Amino acid sequence: MPSIEIPELQDYSPASLDSFFSTILAQFDQDAAAVDSVEAVEQLRIRWIGRKQGLLTRVGEVLKDAPAEARREVGKRFNALKSAIEPRCDPAQIPARGAGAEASEAIDITLPGNRRALGAEHPLIRTMNEIVTVFATMGYSVGLGPEVETDYYNFESLNFPPGHPARDTQDTLVIAHQERKPLRERLLMRTHTSPVQIHTMEEQPPPLRIVIPGKVHRNDAADATHSPIFHQVEGLCVDTNITFSDLKGTLDHAMKAFFGASVKTRFFPSFFPFTEPSADVQISCIFCGGRGCRKCKHSGWIELLGCGMVDPAVFSFVVRQQPGYDSKKISGFAFGMGVERIAMMKYGIGDISQLYSGDMRFLEQFR
């Protein structure tokens, strides 16, 4: 390509600017007309819009001394010049010319694209979505929240006072360098999805029905049935006149919807700091129909989740922002289950690590 000299600009009158920019654009048109290959397009791009030595950069340096009263017009015309030149330096905008190898560089948009093979939901995601769908059909909305939480939302507001065993560093993964903060403001990886219940109650007055899927973190040693990262689905229902019978009926219906109409449920007393009374829920073994087998340890029952009526102390942390959560006027129940446990039971998976291995031989079974 022949060398190009930037024309002189005598003054900044409209006529002088017209001549200056017209000359430059004509020189670019002359260069662009000679382009006949992808390599030539790249040379044109470097010559005109290269960051350091491009001709547009040099033009900008010539114009930077414009007087204050002319800068607006100069800037307007310079931007118009760039808009005219830059798109024409894109290889996709200049058709290939000639024959042979150069002509073959043109893109034939009529050719079919490379279709990616369709994947499938991971068994954990599939199980979690199925559980959420069961409760969504019962009128529950879905709630989500951050995995990094404060001590207040993860423990204190859920009736875990300081010194409670669940705060032990053997269970909780704490964010580093939090020692100088007040205890309730220290950050940690949430150990359950329950903080979303508090966030939701602070934002929404009752009645409330919400199901919360998500990832949680605990400092557990990895083995066949434990992982430091796992998933939970929790639920919360708050309204007037909510009783333990409503809780039992809800979970019995949900278990039948998920595992089949023949499944039975039974409840045993338990303890959770945020519910009172609390219960563990067992379902009749889905493998032997309750007759007894190795998978249910010949008991005919499998323990599946925990639940209970919301402790009034939990409402006391929320009522300051949402007066509707007065424990004298409303009540509620909560429940939670581990997704990995249900997925392993449903799909006959013997080792939880297989769910996180990324082994395609394992995952392809679920396509």
Side-chain angles (χ1 to χ4, degrees), residues 2 18 55 87 138 167 238 314 328:
D18 285 343
L55 289 168
M138 299 166 65
R167 290 172 173 264
V238 181
V314 174
K328 296 179 181 179

Side-chain angles (χ1 to χ4, degrees), residues 240-251 333:
T240 56
N241 300 320
I242 296 294
T243 67
F244 202 91
S245 295
D246 298 313
L247 169 60
K248 293 181 67 176
T250 298
L251 293 182
F333 62 75

Side-chain angles (χ1 to χ4, degrees), residues 9-286:
L9 187 62
Q10 302 296 334
D11 55 56
Y12 292 91
S13 64
S16 180
L17 291 174
D18 285 343
S19 175
F20 178 81
F21 285 104
S22 296
T23 301
I24 294 174
L25 187 59
Q27 291 175 336
F28 174 77
D29 288 339
Q30 183 177 355
D31 273 3
V35 169
D36 58 0
S37 68
V38 174
E39 291 78 7
V41 175
E42 179 62 13
Q43 293 177 12
L44 181 73
R45 186 192 68 79
I46 295 172
R47 177 181 173 91
W48 280 91
I49 61 176
R51 292 186 60 185
K52 295 183 178 180
Q53 301 299 325
L55 289 168
L56 281 184
T57 300
R58 291 166 53 191
V59 171
E61 292 175 352
V62 170
L63 297 173
K64 69 180 181 181
D65 297 327
E69 63 273 11
R71 286 177 184 171
R72 182 174 180 180
E73 181 64 21
V74 168
K76 180 179 178 181
R77 289 173 179 259
F78 182 68
N79 289 334
L81 179 68
K82 288 176 61 179
S83 298
I85 289 177
E86 288 180 346
R88 295 170 64 184
C89 293
D90 183 351
Q93 301 298 323
I94 300 180
R97 299 176 183 175
E102 293 179 353
S104 67
E105 293 173 352
I107 298 175
D108 185 352
I109 62 173
T110 64
L111 291 174
N114 295 325
R115 179 172 294 180
R116 292 179 178 272
L118 293 177
E121 286 183 319
H122 190 279
L124 277 179
I125 302 301
R126 179 185 297 178
T127 302
M128 190 155 54
N129 288 342
E130 289 175 353
I131 297 171
V132 170
T133 299
V134 168
F135 288 98
T137 58
M138 299 166 65
Y140 284 68
S141 58
V142 179
L144 301 173
E147 293 179 34
V148 177
E149 270 293 358
T150 63
D151 184 280
Y152 173 78
Y153 283 103
N154 195 77
F155 290 128
E156 185 178 342
S157 62
L158 290 161
N159 204 32
F160 287 85
H164 192 281
R167 290 172 173 264
D168 195 307
T169 55
Q170 295 300 313
D171 298 326
T172 307
L173 297 169
V174 181
I175 305 299
H177 311 303
Q178 302 285 306
E179 295 81 3
R180 295 186 179 182
K181 292 184 178 180
L183 179 60
R184 60 166 46 190
E185 296 178 10
R186 295 179 189 177
L187 300 178
L188 47 83
M189 304 302 294
R190 68 179 182 186
T191 58
H192 44 191
T193 56
S194 303
V196 182
Q197 297 183 24
I198 303 298
H199 286 301
T200 305
M201 285 192 286
E202 288 181 343
E203 295 168 1
Q204 301 178 28
L208 178 67
R209 288 170 178 80
I210 187 170
V211 62
I212 307 159
K215 186 188 298 181
V216 298
H217 308 257
R218 295 184 188 176
N219 192 18
D220 284 338
D223 57 29
T225 58
H226 294 84
S227 170
I229 299 175
F230 56 102
H231 298 75
Q232 286 185 338
V233 174
E234 294 192 10
L236 174 68
C237 174
V238 181
D239 204 342
T240 56
N241 300 320
I242 296 294
T243 67
F244 202 91
S245 295
D246 298 313
L247 169 60
K248 293 181 67 176
T250 298
L251 293 182
D252 184 72
H253 174 83
M255 295 302 102
K256 284 179 167 58
F258 190 78
F259 292 107
S262 62
V263 166
K264 299 177 182 179
T265 58
R266 66 179 185 179
F267 294 69
F268 286 89
S270 186
F271 170 77
F272 304 107
F274 37 82
T275 55
E276 179 60 37
S278 304
D280 287 326
V281 182
Q282 295 182 349
I283 64 169
S284 55
C285 181
I286 62 174

